Amino acid sequence: MASRIEPFIELENLEKVFTVRRKAAGLLRREKKEVRAVDGISFAVERGEMVGYIGPNGAGKSTTIKMLTGILTPSGGRLRVAGIDPARERTRLAQRIGVVFGQRTTLWWDLPLKDSYRLMHRMYRIPDARFRENLDRCVELLELGELLDVPVRQLSLGQRMRGDIAAALLHDPEVLYLDEPTIGLDVVSKARVREFLSHLNTTQGTTVLLTTHDLTDIEQLCSRVMVIDHGRLMYDGKLTGLHAVGESERLLVVDLERELPPIDVPGARFVRSEGPRQWLAFPATASAAPLVAEVAAAYPLIDLSVREPDIETVIAKMYGGTRDERRESLM
Ligand SMILES: Nc1ncnc2c1ncn2[C@@H]1O[C@H](COP(=O)(O)OP(=O)(O)OP(=O)(O)O)[C@@H](O)[C@H]1O
Ligand SMILES: [Mg+2]
């Protein structure tokens, strides 16, 4: 019997329940409360994929990543990364994964950047030649050359983040988890980090799981996106497919020869006008061609263009509805 080839990362009904104790008003004893941070999540990621993992605050993203690294032990379900159970063999897994938590550094605060790297060299027992090669590559691509002698606490946020990304890659991990790697960065630093990640994924084939609140990260890097909310997977598919789920609309911007009453054609909804320019909305999943033909046939046209919906609006709509509504829209 042929054995099944396992996906690189595989979750089956993964759960994490936290028990929090809090002091309830009027009671002497503390009250126990359960938080289902991850509430039965299943997905598989193949080697070399670059996947976005998004959702509102408190959705369970970081908790999932902590279980994927072995930092947290699942309360239920099954989890494998590179065939390894992270919670049971955390040290063995550490040789094969890299992780960046944007909100806190893995670097030594008081040491110059290069000393942190030296410590990692020893901690991960990275062969000398490989260490040097990886460090040189990261220093070049992440422009760290002038920062190597600077203590980490003196680095700017963007510099520190690049330093952290390099630190996560010195031992050639097969998978890189990034938990908000662009948080707080300016536009230029974000672009630099994105470019680096894209390069890493294409040239080294590194599997990447990326958590972010910046949807441009996802638009530029990930063809696949998973949306989670309240510890559950709400969507898993192409970024473009989110439009269908979020019932988003595209806009047709029409420039007429002169100011006219609202354009009235089937399949589109008049949104607003400004002098001879009018905006019409139509479903993002529909083709613009017949609509353009109708408008062109019935109105004196100078120019037109189609505007794509922005993902942010689409996701906001998804988060906004009740869970049952969203469930239905996913069916
Ligand atoms: N150690 C913990 N003890 C108790 N509750 C926790 C713990 N860690 C996380 N939680 C709770 O689990 C839920 C999910 O948290 P998590 O950090 O995974 O969310 P997140 O999706 O990463 O959110 P954000 O976008 O704000 O980073 C939250 O309700 C959080 O309060
Ligand atoms: Mg988080």
Side-chain angles (χ1 to χ4, degrees):
M1 207 174 81
S3 67
R4 191 176 70 104
I5 298 171
E6 277 201 5
F8 193 58
I9 300 174
E10 196 171 27
L11 282 66
E12 263 173 41
N13 256 317
L14 194 72
E15 286 180 16
K16 182 69 194 179
V17 183
F18 291 109
T19 310
V20 282
R21 285 165 203 278
R22 56 162 189 201
K23 202 159 182 214
L27 288 178
L28 285 176
R29 277 189 308 130
R30 283 173 189 270
E31 203 177 56
K32 269 194 200 172
K33 196 179 149 251
E34 281 196 342
V35 178
R36 306 191 68 81
V38 171
D39 196 9
I41 287 186
S42 305
F43 64 75
V45 174
E46 302 296 333
R47 204 176 264 281
E49 270 193 284
M50 193 151 178
V51 185
Y53 197 55
I54 63 176
N57 290 132
K61 305 179 296 294
S62 296
T63 304
T64 311
I65 291 189
K66 285 173 189 162
M67 287 192 278
L68 287 170
T69 61
I71 296 173
L72 285 176
T73 308
S75 315
R78 185 177 177 276
L79 173 59
R80 288 287 179 279
V81 179
I84 296 173
D85 178 346
R88 286 194 162 187
E89 293 185 273
R90 187 175 162 190
T91 320
R92 185 155 83 93
L93 183 68
Q95 295 286 342
R96 306 185 57 179
I97 64 170
V99 61
V100 176
F101 288 103
Q103 314 249 30
R104 71 183 166 79
T105 184
T106 52
L107 302 165
W108 281 263
W109 206 238
D110 293 314
L111 296 183
L113 202 49
K114 68 166 187 266
D115 289 0
S116 279
Y117 295 154
R118 276 196 202 123
L119 285 169
M120 282 169 177
H121 182 183
R122 261 185 267 152
M123 260 170 53
Y124 285 97
R125 299 201 181 95
I126 310 167
D128 293 350
R130 208 165 93 185
F131 172 75
R132 234 167 284 125
E133 193 185 305
N134 287 338
L135 183 59
D136 287 349
R137 198 183 55 237
C138 283
V139 166
E140 190 201 325
L141 293 172
L142 289 165
E143 296 169 46
L144 295 171
E146 305 203 331
L147 306 174
L148 288 172
D149 291 313
V150 181
V152 171
R153 71 183 133 73
Q154 285 177 17
L155 298 176
S156 77
L157 185 59
Q159 293 168 338
R160 200 272 286 157
M161 200 73 82
R162 284 185 276 135
D164 256 301
I165 294 174
L169 294 171
L170 295 175
H171 61 296
D172 271 334
E174 294 152 79
V175 57
L176 181 62
Y177 309 124
L178 298 150
D179 195 354
E180 305 195 40
T182 57
I183 192 165
L185 303 194
D186 66 28
V187 180
V188 178
S189 302
K190 278 185 183 182
R192 202 183 275 166
V193 167
R194 284 179 196 137
E195 211 175 289
F196 176 81
L197 295 177
S198 160
H199 184 265
L200 176 79
N201 177 253
T202 33
T203 59
Q204 314 279 310
T206 312
T207 309
V208 178
L209 189 70
L210 168 71
T211 282
T212 179
H213 286 285
D214 184 333
L215 292 168
T216 316
D217 289 346
I218 305 288
E219 276 170 343
Q220 297 190 353
L221 293 172
C222 308
S223 53
R224 175 178 171 196
V225 59
M226 292 189 267
V227 181
I228 72 159
D229 191 10
H230 291 100
R232 301 206 183 166
L233 194 60
M234 307 307 295
Y235 178 82
D236 179 356
K238 285 196 184 312
L239 187 57
T240 44
L242 268 179
H243 295 315
V245 175
E247 291 160 7
S248 64
E249 293 180 314
R250 290 196 282 173
L251 282 178
L252 187 67
V253 187
V254 185
D255 285 323
L256 300 170
E257 274 172 13
R258 56 186 182 280
E259 204 167 317
L260 285 170
I263 294 174
D264 185 14
V265 287
R269 178 174 63 80
F270 171 80
V271 180
R272 66 189 177 99
S273 63
E274 224 178 81
R277 176 171 284 192
Q278 296 198 17
W279 282 262
L280 304 177
F282 64 103
T285 46
S287 160
L291 189 60
V292 169
E294 298 239 22
V295 175
Y299 295 85
L301 209 60
I302 292 178
D303 196 9
L304 45 75
S305 62
V306 176
R307 242 177 245 166
E308 297 300 321
D310 74 58
I311 290 293
E312 213 143 340
T313 320
V314 176
I315 307 253
K317 268 193 186 170
M318 270 185 87
Y319 293 168
T322 67
R323 183 176 285 177
D324 286 347
E325 278 167 17
R326 284 182 309 228
R327 280 268 136 128
E328 262 165 40
S329 67
L330 289 172
M331 299 291 164

